[in-house]
Amino acid sequence: MTQINKLKIFNDPIYGFISIPNELIYDLIQHPYFQRLRRISQMGLSYLVYPGANHTRFHHALGCMHLMQKAVETLRFKGVAISEEEENALLIAILLHDIGHGPFSHAMEKSIVEDVNHEAISLLFMNQLNDEFDGRLSLAIQVFKGDYHRKFMLQLISSQLDMDRMDYLKRDSFYTGVAEGNVNSERLIQMMNVVDGVLVIEEKGIYSVEKFLLSRRLMYWQAYLHKTSLVAELILMKVLKRAKELTLKGMVLPCSEPLLYFMQNKVSLEGFDSEKLDLFSQLDDFDIISALKAWQKQDDFILSTLSKMIINRDLLKIKLSAEKIPIEESQALKEEFAEEHKISALDAGYFIFRGKIKNQAYSKEAEPIRILKKDKTIEDVVEASDQLNLKSLSKLVTKYYICYPKQLI
């Protein structure tokens, strides 16, 4: 039998060459569960706004692993002891942190796989892989769950300044062309250190942290919460909700078997056994897009109309406001639309609805970003910064929206 060379390299447009450090990580990347991420878009339906935003979660996971390699290198250079086993755990945990994302993840979580979030599914996948790999992921799982005694290791994976955010801001900025999101991940990593088991950023890196938080805020308004991306995702949520409603009434809609299973059955976290996990692992963006293409031709007015909207990018109108939108406004539009299309006011709610979005670049309630000052004291970045804008970045901004068909303008 020929021996496969497992120490491969990937050519990444953001960082150049990304190397696979060992055979276990190669085998995890090769696993069908991980390869599925090639078929899951990182930014959902954002390509309807930014044509370049077609990059995948596979891409992002490899980028995060690369940044983690750099972080471990930097911390070791500064005298932080990280064993080979701990390094491997960090690389595996960050590589698999998004493995539980479904297609168009947030829309799925709010319509079809309702009671189970992607973090919980990621953990289920990790436990399943741990069984397959004879317990070699145990430490990675411990770190991922926050059960390991070295706190900084979890902070590198999940915090307000982690490898995940550093990669997706830089990557999403590159693929959308929204230059404001471009963060200096190299500089941020070079400024990292560990004091008393906790991750800190050296004081001279404070401006890079400020730029990172500002980039995050701007990327939310310009990309993730862009009103067209937002309305497309809301329509997708409504389509899936309607499809599930019709399926539960006994209608058989054309779609893939895994998608049909999750539409016909309510699956709780407790009921998510290895069989269901295997079905979930067969779901990707193609299941949803091909279902939408088929559903355009269905007799149900709601399902076919909403499906066409996404396929043809002829979306609902969305209006944003700093003030709460009065219920009377949506009620009047619903009545008008219901009368025009001979449907009930309740069904008109699929086309006319209100809601709100929130943006907070930095949360004072969450684990803070700690700045290590020259006198060895540690301060929250908001206190350490001389920039007034950091105070405003930690303020929660809420915007309200109403969506309605264009012909009702």
Side-chain angles (χ1 to χ4, degrees), residues 368-380:
I369 296 174
R370 297 177 175 87
I371 302 295
L372 175 65
K373 305 195 78 170
K374 289 187 178 71
D375 62 4
K376 300 292 179 223
T377 57
I378 293 173
E379 244 182 336
D380 185 324

Side-chain angles (χ1 to χ4, degrees), residues 6 10 50 93 126 134 139 155 159 191 197 260 276 380:
K6 294 186 175 182
F10 287 94
Y50 298 105
M126 285 162 109
D134 304 321
L139 186 58
Q155 290 173 295
S159 66
M191 293 298 115
L260 186 63
K276 312 253 191 330
D380 185 324

Side-chain angles (χ1 to χ4, degrees), residues 34 75 182 202 220 249 286 310 346 349:
F34 192 80
L75 293 174
N182 191 6
E202 291 161 6
Y220 267 84
K249 282 181 183 167
F286 296 92
I310 296 176
L346 187 69

Side-chain angles (χ1 to χ4, degrees), residues 328-384:
E328 296 77 32
E329 192 175 329
S330 60
Q331 214 51 50
L333 290 169
K334 272 184 203 174
E335 283 163 20
E336 188 187 330
F337 189 78
E339 199 175 319
E340 189 184 332
H341 293 278
K342 307 289 178 274
I343 58 172
S344 69
L346 187 69
D347 284 350
Y350 274 101
F351 299 90
I352 297 135
F353 45 88
R354 302 171 310 140
K356 60 182 176 184
I357 47 173
K358 293 175 179 179
N359 186 358
Q360 186 177 27
Y362 183 71
S363 166
K364 285 179 164 177
E365 280 71 59
E367 182 79 30
I369 296 174
R370 297 177 175 87
I371 302 295
L372 175 65
K373 305 195 78 170
K374 289 187 178 71
D375 62 4
K376 300 292 179 223
T377 57
I378 293 173
E379 244 182 336
D380 185 324
V381 67
V382 174
E383 309 309 320

Side-chain angles (χ1 to χ4, degrees), residues 191-203:
M191 293 298 115
M192 285 182 167
N193 209 332
V194 173
V195 175
D196 299 330
V198 172
L199 196 67
V200 295
I201 303 290
E202 291 161 6
E203 191 174 9

Side-chain angles (χ1 to χ4, degrees), residues 42-91:
Q42 174 68 15
M43 290 184 70
L45 290 164
S46 291
Y47 61 81
L48 294 175
V49 180
Y50 298 105
N54 278 304
H55 55 302
T56 64
R57 293 198 180 275
F58 180 88
H59 229 150
H60 163 62
L62 289 177
C64 291
M65 183 189 75
H66 173 75
L67 292 182
M68 188 65 87
Q69 286 173 298
K70 297 285 176 208
V72 169
E73 205 179 288
T74 300
L75 293 174
R76 275 186 181 150
F77 179 74
K78 292 182 182 179
V80 180
I82 299 172
S83 70
E84 201 175 315
E85 194 191 359
E86 286 174 327
E87 176 182 14
N88 225 18
L90 282 168
L91 295 177

Side-chain angles (χ1 to χ4, degrees), residues 202-269:
E202 291 161 6
E203 191 174 9
K204 55 181 183 277
I206 195 164
Y207 299 120
S208 301
V209 177
E210 288 173 357
K211 165 76 168 65
F212 167 84
L213 292 172
L214 189 59
S215 297
R216 189 162 183 263
R217 182 193 192 83
L218 295 174
M219 276 301 280
Y220 267 84
W221 286 136
Q222 281 186 257
Y224 312 130
L225 296 175
H226 185 289
K227 64 179 192 169
T228 308
S229 305
L230 176 66
V231 75
E233 189 171 287
L234 290 165
I235 294 168
L236 179 58
M237 237 181 271
K238 299 280 181 191
V239 177
L240 295 173
K241 189 174 162 226
R242 180 62 172 181
K244 186 162 188 170
E245 194 179 294
L246 294 171
T247 303
L248 293 174
K249 282 181 183 167
M251 253 181 94
V252 181
L253 296 174
C255 65
S256 70
E257 275 181 45
L259 183 56
L260 186 63
Y261 179 85
F262 284 100
M263 290 203 304
Q264 286 175 336
N265 299 279
K266 199 173 170 67
V267 183
S268 66
L269 187 56

